Amino acid sequence: MTAVQKVAIAGAGVAGLASAIFLARAGVEVDVFDAQPSLPTRGSGITLQGNALRVFDALGVWDEIAAAGNAFEGLNLRAPGPGAPIVAALPDLKTGGPDYPSAMGLSRPDLARILLAAVEEHGARVHFGRRVTGLTPSGDAVDVEVDGAPAGRYDLVIGADGLHSTVRELVGIHVSPERNGMGIWRTFVSLPEGVDRTELYYGGPVYIAGYTPTGADTMYAFLVEKAEDRSGASPEEARRIMVEQSRAYDGPWNSIRADIEAGADANYTWFTRHLVEAPWNRGRVVVIGDAAHSCPPTIAQGAAQGLEDAAVLTELLIDRDAVDQSLWDAFHERRVARAEAIVDASAQLAQWQLDGVRDADASGLMFRVAQITSVPA
């Protein structure tokens, strides 16, 4: 018998959908509420480390993920300037173990589509265009309000509703993402010939220029700059800025610029950091994923940490017969320190770049993170 029979999940992102799959597969009745009108059909890409791939296998979607994405080993560093020479080819540790590639690039819409299909296959209900607006404890349950109207009584509510989580605020966790001073331009383009792994350029007019293959013929590319208010930029202006900032980068960036000039979207967001200190729950409401923690994507662990949150939480809910303090203690013991280590390391890598520290032990820090994440959560 599971510890819960009926669960509401706020947010149809990676952590929310993964939680829904795990629970529904175990026979739990699940409702997912997401404020967006539908799954995104457009967007850039995402880099998934081996520990994320390990969770996808546990979810039963690894074959679909592997078919849709672009798996690779290692990382290339290129120099800015003519020819963009490769100055280092770095190996990646297999944080998911020997059965999975070191990393994979995947388009975000493809990832969402695969996870949603698995959610529906296992009988969970997903309600788009619906926002959780109220939570009222009621004994061993929570009364949930959606769009201002009663939506039902649930044994547990999982807040996986992202950086600006409504659930987090509703339960009185007043922690907000803090901007770190970096902003990132992203675009989704065709795959240039010869690109078979993530490649990063350090130096030049921006902090990082990079790209990751996401499929047989697709790639997402990004430029990390000193953050500016880009909210007023039109789509045409956004493309122009990204083209101009990338002119110092040769090699595959020539193909990327051509796609942007031909109309590929250029999107801008700020890097943020936050961590909810334990406990992540208030009674029978708990926050996970970006609702509980966020960090600059300098180690590409954001999605992986949300997936690990979902895997650990649902494992405990399925294997135990009561939602009690021992369950929450076990959850926090396995997740909070690990998430904090990732947040701190990711933020440190970004700060070294902001401060122009040239002798920082970035490779040593990344190796330590890889050692942490190679051990299952």
Side-chain angles (χ1 to χ4, degrees):
M1 183 176 179
T2 60
V4 290
Q5 304 302 309
K6 187 177 181 182
V7 172
I9 299 173
V14 173
L17 293 179
S19 298
I21 295 168
F22 280 127
L23 291 171
R25 194 170 62 185
V28 176
E29 184 179 349
V30 179
D31 283 298
V32 181
F33 301 98
D34 192 276
Q36 299 300 314
S38 63
L39 279 184
T41 57
R42 301 182 70 178
S44 61
I46 186 170
T47 301
L48 300 162
Q49 302 292 345
N51 57 318
L53 307 183
R54 180 170 56 212
V55 179
F56 287 137
D57 200 2
L59 285 165
V61 298
W62 168 233
D63 288 345
E64 291 87 346
I65 294 288
N70 191 315
F72 53 88
E73 309 288 342
L75 165 73
N76 286 344
L77 301 182
R78 288 183 183 257
I86 294 174
V87 295
L90 306 178
D92 274 345
L93 290 179
K94 288 181 172 288
T95 58
D99 296 333
Y100 310 100
S102 296
M104 166 173 284
L106 183 66
S107 84
R108 290 179 182 271
D110 280 348
L111 174 57
R113 172 184 54 79
I114 290 167
L115 292 178
L116 180 61
V119 167
E120 294 174 338
E121 176 187 350
H122 292 293
R125 298 178 292 265
V126 182
H127 313 272
F128 287 107
R130 307 288 303 279
R131 183 187 296 275
V132 172
T133 53
L135 299 168
T136 304
S138 179
D140 290 337
V142 181
D143 290 326
V144 176
E145 179 185 279
V146 174
D147 296 331
R153 178 168 292 181
Y154 295 85
D155 301 325
L156 183 76
V157 176
I158 299 174
D161 49 343
L163 283 178
H164 306 290
S165 169
T166 300
V167 170
R168 188 175 64 219
E169 288 298 315
L170 286 172
V171 297
I173 301 175
H174 302 303
V175 176
S176 299
E178 297 179 356
R179 296 174 173 179
N180 82 328
M182 284 178 162
I184 184 169
W185 288 102
R186 292 183 172 97
T187 189
F188 196 62
V189 294
S190 58
L191 181 66
E193 184 177 353
V195 174
D196 60 3
R197 64 184 65 187
T198 292
E199 297 188 331
L200 302 176
Y201 302 59
Y202 290 96
V206 299
Y207 293 113
I208 310 170
Y211 41 78
T212 294
T214 55
D217 55 7
T218 59
M219 181 174 78
Y220 85 94
F222 52 89
L223 299 170
V224 180
E225 65 166 15
K226 183 177 180 180
E228 295 188 26
D229 182 0
R230 303 291 195 180
S231 58
S234 67
E236 294 77 13
E237 177 70 2
R239 285 191 287 268
R240 185 194 66 76
I241 293 171
M242 194 167 184
V243 165
E244 291 304 316
Q245 289 195 340
S246 70
R247 289 199 186 280
Y249 306 105
D250 203 349
W253 271 101
N254 296 324
S255 172
I256 297 167
R257 272 191 297 277
D259 279 8
I260 298 172
E261 290 173 330
D265 291 338
N267 300 302
Y268 192 75
T269 56
W270 287 51
F271 284 0
T272 64
R273 168 192 177 152
H274 81 284
L275 177 72
V276 175
E277 296 182 357
W280 290 358
N281 74 298
R282 299 294 186 270
R284 287 180 172 248
V285 181
V286 61
V287 293
I288 65 171
D290 285 349
H293 46 79
S294 69
C295 56
T298 46
I299 309 179
Q301 273 289 319
Q305 291 309 297
L307 286 164
E308 289 185 355
D309 289 347
V312 172
L313 176 62
T314 56
E315 174 195 317
L316 293 168
L317 293 170
I318 291 166
D319 289 349
R320 300 193 177 206
D321 58 10
V323 179
D324 55 18
Q325 191 57 46
S326 68
L327 182 148
W328 294 122
D329 289 345
F331 175 63
H332 293 120
E333 182 178 356
R334 291 171 63 181
R335 288 305 307 147
V336 177
R338 186 176 173 107
E340 182 177 18
I342 301 302
V343 169
D344 287 349
S346 301
Q348 181 63 77
L349 285 170
Q351 194 61 49
W352 280 335
Q353 291 177 304
L354 284 164
D355 295 341
V357 178
R358 296 186 177 277
D359 59 351
D361 185 17
S363 59
L365 181 58
M366 294 177 74
F367 179 75
R368 290 192 292 275
V369 169
Q371 288 181 306
I372 292 170
T373 54
S374 64
V375 178

